[in-house]
Amino acid sequence: MQEKRLLVVGAHSADFVWRSAGVVARIIKDGGRAKVVALSYGERGESGELWKVAGQTEENVKSIRHAEAAAAAAHLGAEFEAFDLGDYPLNVGDDDVARLAELMRDFQPTIVVTHPEIDPFNPDHPVAYTTVAKARLMTSGAGVESGFKTAPPSEFLVFEPHQPELCGFLPTVFVDITDVFEQKKAAMAEMKAQQYLQSYYRERAEHRGNHARKVTGNKAIRQAEAFMRLVPNVVASL
């Protein structure tokens, strides 16, 4: 059986924690690997608490955010890497797309997860989606053999945004994270610059757990995370 390799790419360093920490922990617990990439630290637009400290600097905020995200990833058993491209706005150039594509070729992910394509309240999230979609196509040679190193086509999903109805998000996959939920909570607790989101995403996991129970009839499911597939999954039989 092929080893599962999950790559999660967020616009900011905390995005993976709120929206996919459970599935990261789930895959690693089942014997797979997971790597998290943050295109920026969210140092300008998502670190309000840190900027309340007198004499705060952007470089210090980045350092704190890096330490928080690395600690969160460690709770899950994942690798963490930051591109440090700046936020609000997140500006991604061709070299940055090439860098992500090269990372994909090296890591060979079987599953790639990022933000949805639409977000009317956050300018950085759609940029992250476009970056990942382009890098993924470059990595697979746009579906054909090519003259550069490639990786096999991966599953491609987006994680649940903060306001799903306004982002064109329709959940097509629920992942049961009940037995790794404590790890997700520990990861969320590391993101001290955004403590206000911890209760929201604990409640969201409970809501999606309820939906997953309705779908499956499995009363043991207490918490879940929601994702939307962007390409079909292929199975031998229904």
Side-chain angles (χ1 to χ4, degrees):
M1 184 177 181
Q2 184 182 16
E3 176 190 53
K4 285 190 176 181
R5 293 192 177 198
L6 171 66
L7 176 65
V8 180
V9 182
H12 314 107
S13 57
D15 290 333
F16 81 95
V17 177
W18 316 122
R19 300 170 174 94
S20 62
V23 76
V24 170
R26 166 86 277 143
I27 281 181
I28 292 170
K29 185 172 183 178
D30 289 344
R33 288 180 60 190
K35 188 177 186 69
V36 176
V37 172
L39 297 180
S40 82
Y41 288 116
E43 66 272 9
R44 288 156 52 90
E46 306 206 343
S47 304
E49 291 301 310
L50 299 179
W51 285 104
K52 293 178 182 179
V53 177
Q56 187 64 275
T57 66
E58 187 169 302
E59 286 307 310
N60 190 53
V61 170
K62 288 181 182 181
S63 178
I64 293 170
R65 294 281 286 185
H66 185 100
E68 289 181 346
H75 282 295
L76 312 174
E79 307 164 42
F80 173 73
E81 182 172 338
F83 277 25
D84 191 14
L85 301 181
D87 67 315
Y88 294 91
L90 171 63
N91 291 313
V92 179
D94 290 343
D95 289 346
D96 304 314
V97 175
R99 177 183 174 187
L100 182 59
E102 187 61 26
L103 182 150
M104 290 180 177
R105 293 185 191 106
D106 289 341
F107 186 62
Q108 302 269 308
T110 58
I111 307 165
V112 174
V113 176
T114 190
H115 298 269
E117 186 177 10
I118 300 169
D119 193 325
F121 298 109
N122 193 303
D124 292 351
H125 293 171
V127 174
Y129 167 83
T130 300
T131 302
V132 175
K134 186 181 293 186
R136 179 178 171 274
L137 288 175
M138 289 173 58
T139 301
S140 63
V144 299
E145 292 295 327
S146 59
F148 52 83
K149 180 181 176 183
T150 61
S154 62
E155 294 187 58
F156 191 22
L157 301 93
V158 295
F159 45 48
E160 181 167 16
H162 195 73
Q163 300 192 50
E165 297 86 352
L166 301 179
C167 298
F169 179 86
L170 180 65
T172 57
V173 180
F174 292 124
V175 178
D176 178 7
I177 63 168
T178 305
D179 65 344
V180 293
F181 190 54
E182 291 303 314
Q183 287 176 260
K184 175 162 183 166
K185 289 198 296 183
M188 291 194 296
E190 295 289 352
M191 312 312 294
K192 298 177 179 61
Q194 293 176 282
Q195 293 186 35
Y196 58 93
L197 287 177
Q198 293 179 28
S199 60
Y200 178 91
Y201 281 100
R202 285 196 298 268
E203 293 173 4
R204 174 54 59 177
E206 301 282 350
H207 296 159
R208 291 311 192 184
N210 175 274
H211 299 160
R213 287 195 301 276
K214 295 287 187 183
V215 171
T216 63
N218 182 357
K219 295 181 180 180
I221 299 175
R222 308 315 304 173
Q223 294 88 20
E225 288 176 340
F227 300 86
M228 181 171 73
R229 289 189 181 279
L230 298 184
V231 296
N233 63 318
V234 179
V235 297
S237 176
L238 293 180

